[in-house]
Amino acid sequence: MLKDITFGQYFPGDSIIHRLDPRMKLILIIVYIVLLFVADGLFSLLIGAAMGIAFYALSKLPWKLVIKCIKPIMPIIIFTAVLNIFFVEGDPIFEWKFISVSGKGVLTAVLMCIRIICLIAGSSLLTYTTTPIALTDGLERLMKPLQKIKVPVHELSMMMTIALRFIPTLIDETQKIMAAQKARGADMESGNIIEKAKALIPILIPLFVSAFRRADELALAMECRCYHGGEGRTRMKQLKLTAKDFGAAIFVAGGFAAVILMNMFGPEVFRL
Amino acid sequence: MSKKSFIEANRISFSYPSYEGEIPSLVLDGIDVSIEEGEFVAVLGHNGSGKSTLAKHFNAILVPTEGSVSVSGISTAEEARLFEIRQEVGMVFQNPDNQIVATIIEEDVAFALENLGVPPAEIRERVDDALRKVDMYDYRLHAPNQLSGGQKQRIAIAGIVAMRPKCVVLDEPTAMLDPKGRREVMKTVKQLNKELGITVVIITHYMDEAAMCDRVVVVDDGKIIMDSTPEKVFGNVELIKERGLDVPQVTELCHELRKEGIDIPESVLTEEECVAVLENLLKGGAQNG
């Protein structure tokens, strides 16, 4: 049961998207999100959607992954759509008793749906194609300037790395503890929600104790290997921006320009 | 011997900090020991004898409350030179899971070098080299949880070897491993000593492992009670047993046979030697009968 939890949702592959520098990917995804919100009409937003589709095509991931990542937020999408359709005021195109639907409302709903879907699919693509460790690495390097204002960037990324490292270890341990408690007659399946939550206590406490013990030993082992924080530290793997990273940047910048041009000079229909 | 002492412990005593009103109990009680470069030393003792505490003094994880320890002439009390000491004397612990930091094997082996600020190209080279030395190069891109206990422990050793230390201290490295893992790790440790000339101090309570070493130091109740070759230490079966320790199975067998009046030389330590001696005896017996 616990084995099914995958942290991060990395799908191994060797596509151009997989091989992009994680820093570049992080920056581009932020630019892409901004782009989605800058687009103010259906046509400019479709440019954004097309870019998203192009990214997925390049990543060579199965298309059903898009559906997989959108499924959990479907209720939110529907909720937003319904709210927008019925509550945005404008010239009514449909009236029945107290319900009125405006053209503007429908347009807002459609735009919002496309925006949310692109947003989620885009950021999921980042985690689909980047290992958690590369992501942490990229984040550390991108946030390095923040060190000047005393943000403990290295410490945060070290914590992330260690957390990622110990997730499988602790999952194994949880299973062992569960088995041990069951062997002692612990009942974890029956009862209402409160009883079930209570049944977790005999699992969580040993897990906590052991996690602290592990932390203590790990700290000792790290000290033996001369760990003394981020100061004066080098890295074996150097991230290097290559031609494909600049290519991706140009592609996104081009998309951004196209969206702005469409906003300014595009057809006046389907606009907010 | 004209070799200079590499690690020198001079009358060291140690007690863990205690709460107010409590009498601190001495874990180490005036230990004098020196380890030469290139030696292969086992430290034996049962639980609570102070053997792990002693090991932690060898790379300045602990500093003695009395007496002094020096590594290559540097006193472990000199905080400014802590990293120099830890680079010279690496340490491997019991639980392989709790000493691997990174999610990818090669990144973990690189950890110490990254901490020391070694240039990236050199890290790469030393990591590959260390991984080859422990025979784990093919696994460099695996995740730690995909490996067996023995393999993880060898990665931990590689992480230390990458620092190019003069000495490796191993604190019960095989205690949590299955027999196969134990054999793998001991083979690697032996290689470190015999082929690379690294000084090895191995803390253990497996007598068979101690029998493989060149020198055995027996610690009991914070004191060194014996410090000699394995032949001499295990030759003294009665004293070892008196201290609540076991002797290797081979030694035990030979000891019992000797008590029965069968002539077996004292120097027999390994299974192979024992088999050879017994075979000889049996052959001789058959001829006589």
Side-chain angles (χ1 to χ4, degrees):
Chain A
M1 164 188 93
L2 283 168
K3 282 269 187 240
D4 299 337
I5 303 171
T6 47
F7 189 81
Q9 317 165 294
Y10 179 62
F11 282 84
D14 197 33
S15 71
I16 187 161
I17 305 275
H18 280 86
R19 280 180 286 133
L20 283 182
D21 188 305
R23 292 172 297 177
M24 190 51 97
K25 274 195 261 192
L26 276 162
I27 293 174
L28 291 185
I29 204 71
I30 293 167
V31 173
Y32 182 64
I33 290 169
V34 172
L35 173 152
L36 289 175
F37 284 91
V38 166
D40 69 349
L42 185 64
F43 290 112
S44 31
L45 200 53
L46 282 178
I47 296 177
M51 285 170 72
I53 292 168
F55 283 141
Y56 263 92
L58 281 173
S59 75
K60 293 184 186 140
L61 290 172
W63 291 97
K64 63 171 196 279
L65 281 181
V66 185
I67 297 156
K68 194 191 150 202
C69 68
I70 290 170
K71 229 190 220 161
I73 53 145
M74 219 48 212
I76 300 175
I77 295 177
I78 293 168
F79 185 68
T80 328
V82 170
L83 272 187
N84 277 308
I85 288 175
F86 293 111
F87 293 99
V88 171
E89 285 176 20
D91 304 325
I93 50 166
F94 171 81
E95 267 180 303
W96 181 70
K97 286 183 186 168
F98 58 91
I99 299 171
S100 84
V101 175
S102 68
K104 202 180 167 200
V106 174
L107 182 63
T108 318
V110 170
L111 291 187
M112 266 331 244
C113 287
I114 299 178
R115 217 171 254 157
I116 296 175
I117 290 172
C118 286
L119 190 94
I120 299 298
S123 35
S124 299
L125 187 64
L126 178 70
T127 52
Y128 286 156
T129 59
T130 321
T131 56
I133 198 77
L135 215 51
T136 320
D137 209 18
L139 267 175
E140 179 183 1
R141 283 168 218 242
L142 275 184
M143 299 202 308
K144 210 151 217 171
L146 293 182
Q147 241 159 13
K148 291 218 172 69
I149 53 165
K150 305 256 182 236
V151 179
V153 177
H154 166 75
E155 282 75 6
L156 286 174
S157 91
M158 195 72 213
M159 281 188 246
M160 260 302 272
T161 312
I162 292 176
L164 288 171
R165 151 75 185 85
F166 276 92
I167 284 170
T169 311
L170 292 178
I171 286 178
D172 270 356
E173 179 128 43
T174 314
Q175 271 166 340
K176 271 186 207 153
I177 295 171
M178 274 166 88
Q181 299 292 28
K182 274 185 193 156
R184 286 166 179 74
D187 177 14
M188 275 167 261
E189 267 90 41
S190 58
N192 59 24
I193 237 175
I194 294 169
E195 279 163 10
K196 270 187 189 165
K198 272 187 184 161
L200 279 180
I201 293 175
I203 295 168
L204 290 181
I205 289 178
L207 188 66
F208 255 77
V209 172
S210 122
F212 276 107
R213 197 169 294 146
R214 280 181 194 282
D216 198 32
E217 270 180 45
L218 184 72
L220 197 61
M222 285 167 74
E223 245 182 272
C224 281
R225 284 155 81 184
C226 306
Y227 181 71
H228 54 284
E231 214 176 305
R233 209 162 180 268
T234 48
R235 300 301 301 269
M236 175 171 72
K237 286 201 184 127
Q238 298 292 309
L239 292 179
K240 245 203 220 125
L241 293 177
T242 56
K244 54 182 178 300
D245 295 305
F246 293 112
I250 290 167
F251 178 72
V252 172
F256 208 95
V259 165
I260 290 172
L261 286 176
M262 190 61 92
N263 276 352
M264 287 161 71
F265 306 114
E268 283 303 316
V269 286
F270 303 132
R271 290 274 193 121
L272 284 183
Chain B
M1 272 192 281
S2 62
K3 278 187 280 187
K4 72 174 177 36
S5 279
F6 175 56
I7 299 176
E8 282 252 25
N10 216 331
R11 300 192 162 278
I12 55 170
S13 295
F14 181 81
S15 52
Y16 283 99
S18 58
Y19 297 105
E20 238 175 291
E22 221 182 318
I23 305 157
S25 63
L26 277 181
V27 184
L28 299 180
D29 186 5
I31 284 190
D32 257 321
V33 69
S34 64
I35 288 158
E36 317 288 338
E37 235 167 86
E39 267 192 310
F40 191 4
V41 187
V43 178
L44 268 182
H46 54 73
N47 291 340
S49 61
K51 59 186 193 302
S52 288
T53 311
L54 177 63
K56 284 182 187 143
H57 280 81
F58 291 160
N59 71 343
I61 291 291
L62 295 175
V63 178
T65 31
E66 264 170 68
S68 67
V69 181
S70 70
V71 174
S72 279
I74 310 167
S75 161
T76 57
E78 266 186 77
E79 260 184 56
R81 301 179 76 178
L82 207 60
F83 295 129
E84 266 176 77
I85 294 172
R86 291 201 180 140
Q87 241 182 108
E88 298 246 300
V89 183
M91 198 153 177
V92 176
F93 296 91
Q94 192 182 78
N95 189 333
D97 265 326
N98 297 353
Q99 39 188 332
I100 294 178
V101 186
T103 41
I104 302 167
I105 294 306
E106 60 173 13
E107 298 245 343
D108 185 74
V109 177
F111 183 71
L113 302 177
E114 291 180 337
N115 290 334
L116 292 167
V118 177
E122 196 189 332
I123 298 185
R124 181 79 257 174
E125 186 190 311
R126 281 164 76 168
V127 165
D128 289 347
D129 185 46
L131 280 168
R132 284 203 190 90
K133 278 175 183 158
V134 299
D135 207 9
M136 290 292 289
Y137 185 71
D138 295 338
Y139 294 87
R140 64 191 182 283
L141 295 177
H142 282 54
N145 52 307
Q146 292 171 300
L147 304 184
S148 73
Q151 289 174 325
K152 278 187 238 179
Q153 199 61 293
R154 273 149 67 200
I155 292 304
I157 295 174
I160 296 297
V161 168
M163 285 200 291
R164 308 221 162 127
K166 287 204 182 112
C167 172
V168 178
V169 179
L170 301 106
D171 189 355
E172 302 200 33
T174 58
M176 297 183 75
L177 305 180
D178 55 8
K180 185 170 170 277
R182 267 173 65 188
R183 266 197 306 278
E184 284 170 16
V185 169
M186 284 314 287
K187 193 178 146 233
T188 309
V189 171
K190 233 178 173 174
Q191 264 171 7
L192 292 188
N193 182 258
K194 300 290 178 248
E195 284 163 30
L196 305 174
I198 296 175
T199 313
V200 171
V201 178
I202 179 165
I203 318 287
T204 181
H205 56 237
Y206 288 115
M207 302 303 141
D208 308 346
E209 288 171 9
M212 286 165 58
C213 300
D214 301 334
R215 175 177 164 196
V216 178
V217 175
V218 185
V219 179
D220 190 40
D221 206 14
K223 292 191 184 73
I224 290 182
I225 53 168
M226 269 190 266
D227 180 355
S228 187
T229 59
E231 288 84 0
K232 288 212 175 111
V233 169
F234 295 124
N236 207 336
V237 178
E238 307 300 333
L239 180 60
I240 294 266
K241 291 212 154 173
E242 197 182 298
R243 298 295 179 148
L245 285 168
D246 263 331
V247 290
Q249 279 180 340
V250 171
T251 317
E252 173 106 56
L253 175 67
C254 295
H255 182 68
E256 292 299 322
L257 288 173
R258 238 175 269 131
K259 270 206 269 183
E260 297 297 318
I262 297 165
D263 176 39
I264 291 175
E266 294 268 331
S267 62
V268 176
L269 262 180
T270 64
E271 272 173 44
E272 291 81 34
E273 284 170 359
C274 184
V275 168
V277 168
L278 289 180
E279 227 170 335
N280 250 334
L281 273 174
L282 288 173
K283 266 186 210 154
Q287 274 159 15
N288 288 344

